[in-house]
Amino acid sequence: MASVASEQTVKGGGWLVAETDPATVFTPEKLNDEHKLIRQTAQEFMKGEVLPVVERLEKKEWSLNRELLKKCGSLGLLGTNIPEEYGGVDLDKIATLIVSECIAMQASFATTFGAQANLTILPIHMFGTEQQKKTYLPGLVSGEVAGAYGLSESGSGSDALGAKTRAMKQADGSFILSGEKMWISNGGFADVFIIFAKVDGEHFTAFIVERKWPGVSSGKEEHKLGLHGSSTTPIILQDVKVPADAVLGEIGKGHKVAFNVLNFGRFKLGAMCSGGVKINIEEAAKYAAARKQFNTPIASFGAIKHKLGEMTVREYALESMMYRTAGLIEQRIAATPDKKANDGTPMLLALEEFAVEASIAKVLGSETVDYTIDENLQIHGGNGFVHEYPPEGHYRDARVNRIFEGTNEINRLLIPGMLMKKAMKGELPLMQAAKALQDEIMSPSMSMPDDDGGVLAAEMRACGAFKKVVLMVAGTAMQRYGTKLEQEQEVLSFLADILIDTYSAESAVLRAQAAAAGKQPNADLHQDAARVAVNEAAGRIEIAARNTLAAMADGDVLRTQLSALRRLLKVTPANTVEMRRRLADAVVARGGYIF
Ligand SMILES: Cc1cc2nc3c(=O)[nH]c(=O)nc-3n(C[C@H](O)[C@H](O)[C@H](O)COP(=O)(O)OP(=O)(O)OC[C@H]3O[C@@H](n4cnc5c(N)ncnc54)[C@H](O)[C@@H]3O)c2cc1C
């Protein structure tokens, strides 16, 4: 595998075909003073302003959500990506990630915040005309104006482009919008909506629509499983007259707005989930230290240590992957010639480039937070099942993360699908690498290189092997199914799982290597977390690869592939019991996440 030129790393999926130098990877250990300050601001805001009023939020006092949005605005939290001339504070994407992590302290408010910052402000910043930006951004960024995003309809959720809402063009250039949007966050109180409709029933287009325009109304609040402090309603559009200059982007190009907003939305949702995982680790660690059974704190039982250790490992891999991706997006923006452009183009291009990583963040984040909440609830025993203790609420609130911003099924199909499209366009040398690997596999002397003896060398070698497994499965799938591969959803979903494990495990190893090189005080715990992450990933990858290969080949071909798979994944088992125990003890001693 070629050593990474910086050119390859700043490409989406570049990590798959090249080696990465740990020194080039952004990690939480590299946060600067500005990042730390925004983190402190966001944490203080959540602890001081939001957590004390959760009960009122859950009683649907929507004026309170609006008040909190204004406070967020006054602290600069809504405009981290927005240029100062529109009221923003124009920080980097790492700052955005940090804010998203902190806002996750309260899931309902995080949804209100996300609908405003990610789903309304962002599309206007990236696709709005100068006039639209001047009209809408200052109010939205200050929180004076509340926003919402109307893409889904009762008949079209995953199939968003199948929307039935119509925008009939009038002789004076205006449009008449009619239809009904469904499940709209902030729907009960937003002033401004991004609404997707088909111009003349055909051309999918985004519009900026104001509540005050005649014909716009909210339907009844949905009675939801969780997120009771977040408004979710239908938005009804009854012959709404919308001026010509309300088109956002271009007529017929609404999909560009929708998909690019989703790209960043998915990344930020991954960040929010990562923040949620840390809260659950903290609650679980404190409870396990305080709760005694058999005259012993339950934290000292091996079964509980296993849970605390594994929660920490999974968060370490997720968090490492999130910061690595944010760093890549930043590098990509910095490499854009006109990077100072205030029109949002550099950001748009970077988000398109890392759409695969954004989908990975969404799937891994939402599944890691659900796993951690489940274990937190289990550690709380019977108390975990009752309302007075936090896990019960987390359990209900978090479930939707696997549904919105594109369901995890859809994102799993997108992950390999988008990578293969890049390969077909010649943007990623996947085919060449798969062909070279195929020749290697057929050779009985195929062997994996020896470790160089450096820190986590065996784990890094294993990550190299994971990438070869991706190439083997993807190459076989492309040969077997050709253009019909998109119909083979099970194969694509397994491939997505292998890719998710590969990217996150490698991110964990790179971070732990950087921690060792930087002589971080807890570098040994970084290594424990990375080792367990790789060890567990190897097992899951082997199962996923065996399932896919057996679905695509049989006889001698399958035998050869399975033997190659065994040779590739010959990972020496590590004493993960000991490592998880060390991590759990450190988490309990600290009373929370340790990295
Ligand atoms: C609390 C909440 C807030 C929301 N906020 C917003 C918002 O602010 N704005 C907005 O526009 N929308 C919002 N949504 C809507 C959300 O984005 C959709 O619910 C989501 O996209 C899924 O669509 P659906 O519900 O129609 O499910 P469906 O698309 O009907 O999916 C049902 C199941 O089928 C699977 N499926 C569908 N298509 C395929 C396929 N091709 N291949 C394989 N499996 C498939 C899905 O993965 C899922 O498991 C919100 C939803 C909720 C619950």
Side-chain angles (χ1 to χ4, degrees), residues 407-561:
T407 65
N408 284 16
E409 290 75 22
I410 294 291
N411 274 289
R412 277 198 162 83
L413 301 177
L414 286 173
I415 291 165
M418 290 189 288
L419 276 175
M420 286 187 194
K421 272 200 192 121
K422 272 175 177 271
M424 306 268 194
K425 284 200 246 161
E427 291 170 8
L428 204 61
L430 268 188
M431 317 282 199
Q432 300 84 321
K435 173 79 187 68
L437 180 68
Q438 200 175 36
D439 297 342
E440 203 183 326
I441 286 171
M442 290 305 169
S443 145
S445 61
M446 175 190 139
S447 64
M448 291 300 288
D450 289 335
D451 305 333
D452 64 8
V455 175
L456 294 175
E459 285 69 22
M460 192 42 91
R461 187 191 63 80
C463 291
F466 299 167
K467 295 180 193 180
K468 291 192 173 186
V469 175
V470 170
L471 295 175
M472 186 159 104
V473 174
T476 310
M478 278 155 102
Q479 259 180 4
R480 170 92 159 81
Y481 303 111
T483 52
K484 296 210 170 102
L485 176 56
E486 64 181 15
Q487 293 165 17
E488 301 300 321
Q489 294 196 343
E490 298 92 327
V491 169
L492 289 170
S493 303
F494 276 127
L495 193 48
D497 287 342
I498 301 172
L499 283 158
I500 293 169
D501 260 325
T502 302
Y503 186 49
S504 57
E506 188 189 55
S507 303
V509 173
L510 288 164
R511 179 176 173 191
Q513 288 180 327
K519 301 201 180 351
Q520 289 289 327
N522 56 353
D524 50 342
L525 292 173
H526 279 262
Q527 287 177 48
D528 282 343
R531 280 207 178 95
V532 181
V534 170
N535 201 82
E536 298 305 302
R540 289 189 296 265
I541 287 173
E542 182 165 10
I543 293 170
R546 286 173 66 90
N547 273 303
T548 15
L549 292 172
M552 295 189 289
D554 51 18
D556 283 348
V557 176
L558 179 60
R559 261 190 293 282
T560 311
Q561 286 179 331

Side-chain angles (χ1 to χ4, degrees), residues 115 119 149-154 156-159 182-185 224 227 232 400 403-410 413 489:
L119 301 181
Y149 181 80
L151 175 64
S152 307
E153 298 182 7
S154 62
S156 56
S158 302
D159 180 20
M182 183 88 180
W183 304 296
I184 307 308
S185 301
K224 305 190 297 280
L227 297 185
T232 314
V400 73
I403 296 170
F404 56 23
E405 302 278 357
T407 65
N408 284 16
E409 290 75 22
I410 294 291
L413 301 177
Q489 294 196 343

Side-chain angles (χ1 to χ4, degrees), residues 240-260:
V240 182
K241 189 169 163 80
V242 170
D245 61 6
V247 171
L248 182 63
E250 291 175 47
I251 291 178
K253 298 275 172 66
H255 62 283
K256 273 195 89 91
V257 180
F259 296 154
N260 280 293

Side-chain angles (χ1 to χ4, degrees), residues 160-169 175 177 195-207 247-248 250-255:
L161 303 188
K164 290 212 163 55
T165 299
R166 297 276 181 274
M168 303 312 288
K169 195 156 190 202
F175 300 87
L177 261 64
I195 295 286
F196 292 83
K198 283 188 174 156
V199 170
D200 299 334
E202 233 177 286
H203 311 287
F204 192 71
T205 305
F207 293 87
V247 171
L248 182 63
E250 291 175 47
I251 291 178
K253 298 275 172 66
H255 62 283

Side-chain angles (χ1 to χ4, degrees), residues 6 31 46 52 63 74 76 94 97 115 122 136 141 162 166 251 260 283 298 303 309 354 371 437 447:
S6 54
L31 295 184
M46 291 305 294
S63 58
S74 68
I94 291 141
L97 187 164
L122 202 71
Y136 294 106
V141 169
R166 297 276 181 274
I251 291 178
N260 280 293
E283 288 168 2
I298 60 169
F354 292 100
Y371 164 80
L437 180 68
S447 64

